[in-house]
């Protein structure tokens, strides 16, 4: 009997990376990484009163805010926050914050 040729094993991470790249999702995945990095990027005081929910396809980051006062403050700080969120030039930028009041 003839033996089947042995297949080379591929690491799961390499397979996932390849699938993401082929699907054109690598850049989007990098962009969405601002969500788990939020506390580090905005600082503990802002992170304590906010929760990033999702990053829309157009680059808008939807953020839940605890109070009206903080919503006003973050509206004024939006340009500074965007600069902080977009410090990593290797990922697509967050272009806008959409602040929602937690009810």
């Amino acid at each position: 009997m003839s033996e089947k040729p042995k297949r080379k094993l591929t690491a799961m991470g390499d397979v996932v990376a390849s699938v993401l790249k082929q699907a054109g999702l690598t850049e989007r995945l990098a962009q969405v990484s601002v969500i788990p990095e939020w506390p580090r990027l905005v600082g503990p005081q802002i992170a304590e009163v906010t929760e990033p929910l999702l990053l829309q396809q157009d680059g808008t980051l939807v953020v839940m805010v605890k109070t009206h006062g903080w919503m006003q403050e973050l509206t004024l700080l939006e340009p500074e926050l965007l600069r902080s969120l977009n410090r990593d030039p290797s990922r697509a930028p967050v272009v806008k914050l959409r602040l929602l009041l937690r009810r």
Side-chain angles (χ1 to χ4, degrees):
M1 280 192 190
S2 66
E3 289 186 29
K4 291 183 181 179
K6 292 186 181 186
R7 293 184 188 180
K8 181 181 173 190
L9 294 178
T10 305
M12 182 60 90
D14 294 341
V15 173
V16 171
S18 175
V19 169
L20 290 172
K21 186 175 181 177
Q22 288 175 2
L25 296 174
T26 305
E27 186 176 300
R28 177 82 173 130
L29 188 60
Q31 184 185 36
V32 172
S33 70
V34 299
I35 292 175
E37 294 177 22
W38 178 259
R40 181 182 63 79
L41 295 170
V42 300
Q45 187 176 22
I46 292 173
E48 188 176 315
V49 296
T50 59
E51 179 185 357
L53 299 177
L54 64 104
L55 185 62
Q56 297 173 330
Q57 291 246 275
D58 67 355
T60 300
L61 181 61
V62 180
V63 179
M64 192 70 72
V65 183
K66 283 188 177 180
T67 68
H68 267 276
W70 270 108
M71 187 176 273
Q72 281 185 308
E73 182 73 21
L74 295 175
T75 299
L76 295 172
L77 290 173
E78 183 174 359
E80 185 179 331
L81 292 171
L82 289 174
R83 275 192 299 280
S84 179
L85 294 172
N86 294 321
R87 279 199 184 116
D88 183 350
S90 70
R91 65 177 164 216
V94 174
V95 296
K96 182 173 137 184
L97 297 178
R98 180 172 173 222
L99 305 171
L100 302 175
L101 186 62
R102 178 176 287 143
R103 297 190 185 254

